[in-house]
Amino acid sequence: MSLPSTFPLLHDIRPDDISMSPFIVSTTRGFLPRGDPITKLPDAFSALENLLQRMPIKKLDGEPGLLANGKFGDAVLADLPDLTDVILKHAYDMVLITALYRDYSFLASAYLLEPCHERHVKGEEYGLARDRLPKNIAVPLNTVSKIAGFKPWMEYAGSYALYNYRLEDEKLGLEYDNTRLIRAFEHGLDPSSSEAGFVLVHVAMVRHSGELVDGSLQVIQSCADGNRDNFNAGLAKVVSAMTKINKTMNLMWNKSKPGDYNSFRTFIFGIAKQSMFPNGVIYEGVSPEPQFFRGESGANDSIIPLCDNLLEITMPNTPLTEILQDFRSYRPGNHREFLEWIHYRAQEVGTKTFALQDANSAKWYLQALDQVRDFRWRHWTFTREYILKHSKHKTATGGSPIVTVSYSTCTSLLLGGKRNKHLLCTSAVTLELLGSEV
Ligand code: HEM
Ligand SMILES: N[C@@H](CC(=O)c1ccccc1NC=O)C(=O)O
């Protein structure tokens, strides 16, 4: 099959156009939304806004909120009308619908996982979560998810991470110190907290993905044209963007402390493959059948998959391959289409072969690979320091088995020599491998 030689990528991000999804890949904003998320809901949604502001363990004013003392579940049942009809009147406004998706997915996670949080703070295991999502959350969440094209459960891009930042001062843009969270479970409304740091470092990294997208397109196009100089310049942009992304990633250690991670992590688990939800969740008013969705995860970020696809880094077939395939459906539709297009076009034009035919191109290509290796090594150290050293829970938020299974078989399949292991494996596979080795 021959693919279109160009991808309909946005060069003009049209931040004020509310008829399009906020998540359209562009050469300027990369994988960030086209425009910064709206931070306060219109008055028609004041009951929802009010509940969200009262929800976090520490509210914006520093006082304890509803999750601090197990009062959130009762407040949901008492104070939240079913706003589905109001939502349907705004179905044309994709920017608002995406903000509502973020907000209802926060409510759903907080509501169902509140009992697990209560046990976790007492030093106990998570135990069972609530297993029924009440109609006043379930129906609106299902409605906005359908319109926005997300799963009706919190996602990385459309909710917790990439649609959850605001600028303290509009003029100062996306500089790290100028960003704040819109919604939080724990202490995240305090910008110096580990929850804020965790999310805002992701945003600060993805901020550099415009240059990565731009460079990737140039690599594909110039390879198809046989234009060596442009090809090298495209790879140089990829290296430049990835160098910035990796440097920013290193901020995580300072902005979000490993020992703090597990307290807000309770709220970002999924409802599939988790001991807290052995029978999934009934969405009241939506379906009598239990629902199962993976939790959000950086595995749904598009930076590393873009590099893998562009540079033709091949993935070995392991028990985790299927899980990683499944993660793909938890990305915004346009991110997914773009990654697929890069995947097939890179093979069609032969980026790797073209790079290795020339010493200068090969140098740039290897530098790009080295950035991917750098990312994956640091990512593994995050997993070790933030999760494995502090948690006995066997499954990561996205539902991959983090510490249990012995992956020795796939280790030998994958590695084919220790030196290239971080390059060959996806991050999730890498951590499994190293988890069983280190
Ligand atoms: C303290 C910081 C982090 C921790 C503890 C962490 C942890 C994890 C874990 C446990 C997984 C396994 C997947 C699952 O089941 O959920 C994962 C996957 C992944 N994470 Fe992270 N992560 C962190 C930061 C990041 C950042 C900053 C990014 C990039 C923006 C990222 C990108 C990825 C990717 C791309 C995957 C796997 C998908 C693949 O390799 O194809 N992570 N992470
Ligand atoms: N899978 C991780 C969480 C995680 O990965 C994540 C969750 C929300 C936003 C970004 C994330 N980043 C990294 O992979 C975990 O199990 O803790």
Side-chain angles (χ1 to χ4, degrees):
M1 178 188 68
S2 189
L3 285 172
S5 60
T6 55
F7 185 84
L9 209 81
L10 277 195
H11 295 287
D12 169 10
I13 55 168
R14 314 215 307 256
D16 299 325
D17 184 344
I18 57 170
S19 69
M20 291 194 309
S21 164
F23 285 98
I24 305 228
V25 184
S26 69
T27 47
T28 45
R29 308 254 313 175
F31 300 116
L32 280 186
R34 291 181 296 123
D36 299 324
I38 51 169
T39 56
K40 196 164 176 295
L41 298 175
D43 289 348
F45 298 97
S46 59
L48 172 61
E49 177 73 48
N50 185 278
L51 188 57
L52 282 155
Q53 290 186 12
R54 290 188 291 142
M55 180 182 86
I57 290 167
K58 184 166 111 179
K59 294 186 297 177
L60 187 60
D61 62 10
E63 293 300 313
L66 295 165
L67 286 172
N69 30 37
K71 292 189 182 144
F72 183 67
D74 288 343
V76 164
L77 301 178
D79 303 340
L80 183 69
D82 182 346
L83 296 169
T84 307
D85 289 344
V86 190
I87 290 171
L88 289 171
K89 288 190 189 132
H90 292 82
Y92 60 90
D93 184 344
M94 295 301 286
V95 170
L96 175 60
I97 292 289
T98 308
L100 288 167
Y101 166 72
R102 173 197 67 209
D103 292 346
Y104 277 107
S105 67
F106 263 84
L107 290 190
S109 295
Y111 179 84
L112 295 179
L113 287 155
E114 184 179 37
C116 303
H117 167 72
E118 299 273 284
R119 289 184 209 106
H120 182 77
V121 289
K122 285 192 246 159
E124 298 168 16
E125 295 199 0
Y126 292 130
L128 294 180
R130 292 187 173 117
D131 60 2
R132 299 185 77 87
L133 197 57
K135 194 169 168 281
N136 57 349
I137 298 180
V139 177
L141 174 58
N142 197 53
T143 305
V144 290
S145 307
K146 280 219 168 79
I147 302 172
F150 296 116
K151 302 263 197 267
W153 187 254
M154 177 171 270
E155 286 189 18
Y156 166 85
S159 183
Y160 192 61
L162 303 188
Y163 216 59
N164 189 24
Y165 69 90
R166 65 179 176 84
L167 307 181
E168 178 70 348
D169 179 342
E170 288 280 326
K171 293 186 296 297
L172 298 181
L174 280 156
E175 286 309 314
Y176 182 89
D177 288 338
N178 191 40
T179 54
R180 303 283 184 275
L181 290 196
I182 299 171
R183 306 292 180 211
F185 292 111
E186 196 203 22
H187 302 157
L189 299 182
D190 170 356
S192 68
S193 70
S194 286
E195 185 184 17
F198 181 75
V199 171
L200 295 175
V201 169
H202 284 79
V203 174
M205 291 167 69
V206 181
R207 180 186 163 213
H208 298 295
S209 61
E211 188 183 15
L212 180 66
V213 167
D214 186 30
S216 301
L217 282 183
Q218 188 171 334
V219 166
I220 299 275
Q221 190 56 52
S222 52
C223 187
D225 298 343
N227 184 331
R228 182 69 63 189
D229 287 346
N230 278 354
F231 181 79
N232 293 348
L235 278 177
K237 281 186 194 167
V238 169
V239 172
S240 158
M242 284 307 294
T243 307
K244 288 175 199 156
I245 288 168
N246 277 319
K247 192 161 174 240
T248 309
M249 188 178 187
N250 217 26
L251 287 177
M252 189 67 87
W253 302 112
N254 272 330
K255 305 290 185 192
S256 190
K257 298 292 173 211
D260 295 344
Y261 180 55
N262 277 277
S263 40
F264 59 90
R265 186 182 184 227
T266 309
F267 294 106
I268 58 178
F269 282 99
I271 58 175
K273 325 263 180 213
Q274 294 293 350
S275 57
M276 300 83 103
F277 298 98
N279 304 311
V281 172
I282 299 288
Y283 281 44
E284 288 176 357
V286 173
S287 167
E289 296 299 320
Q291 307 291 307
F292 298 87
F293 299 107
R294 292 184 181 280
E296 57 141 7
S297 164
N300 311 124
D301 189 85
S302 296
I303 292 174
I304 288 297
L306 170 56
C307 295
D308 286 343
N309 292 353
L310 179 77
L311 304 170
E312 298 189 82
I313 300 173
T314 49
M315 296 299 152
N317 211 1
T318 77
L320 287 174
T321 315
E322 211 175 300
I323 298 178
L324 289 171
Q325 299 266 350
D326 199 37
F327 273 135
R328 291 183 189 170
S329 64
Y330 292 77
R331 290 199 177 101
N334 184 257
H335 286 195
R336 224 156 50 212
E337 286 157 19
F338 177 67
L339 292 178
E340 289 263 296
W341 182 82
I342 291 279
H343 178 71
Y344 289 109
R345 270 303 273 168
Q347 288 179 3
E348 202 166 56
V349 300
T351 49
K352 182 177 175 186
T353 307
F354 191 67
L356 299 183
Q357 282 163 352
D358 172 89
N360 206 18
S361 304
K363 183 200 81 177
W364 283 115
Y365 179 80
L366 284 174
Q367 284 192 25
L369 287 186
D370 194 46
Q371 289 300 322
V372 179
R373 182 209 52 78
D374 186 274
F375 175 99
R376 286 201 156 117
W377 170 252
R378 187 176 302 98
H379 187 262
W380 152 243
T381 62
F382 283 173
T383 305
R384 188 185 60 202
E385 299 301 319
Y386 286 75
I387 303 177
L388 298 178
K389 283 198 178 162
H390 299 276
S391 172
K392 289 198 184 72
H393 189 70
K394 292 181 169 47
T395 318
T397 55
S400 63
I402 196 166
V403 276
T404 42
V405 193
S406 161
Y407 278 93
S408 52
T409 325
C410 62
T411 310
S412 48
L413 251 174
L414 288 165
L415 300 184
K418 262 200 160 194
R419 260 171 295 140
N420 58 4
K421 66 181 165 192
H422 307 301
L423 205 53
L424 280 171
C425 319
T426 68
S427 323
V429 174
T430 308
L431 70 90
E432 303 292 349
L433 297 173
L434 294 173
S436 63
E437 264 187 10
V438 176

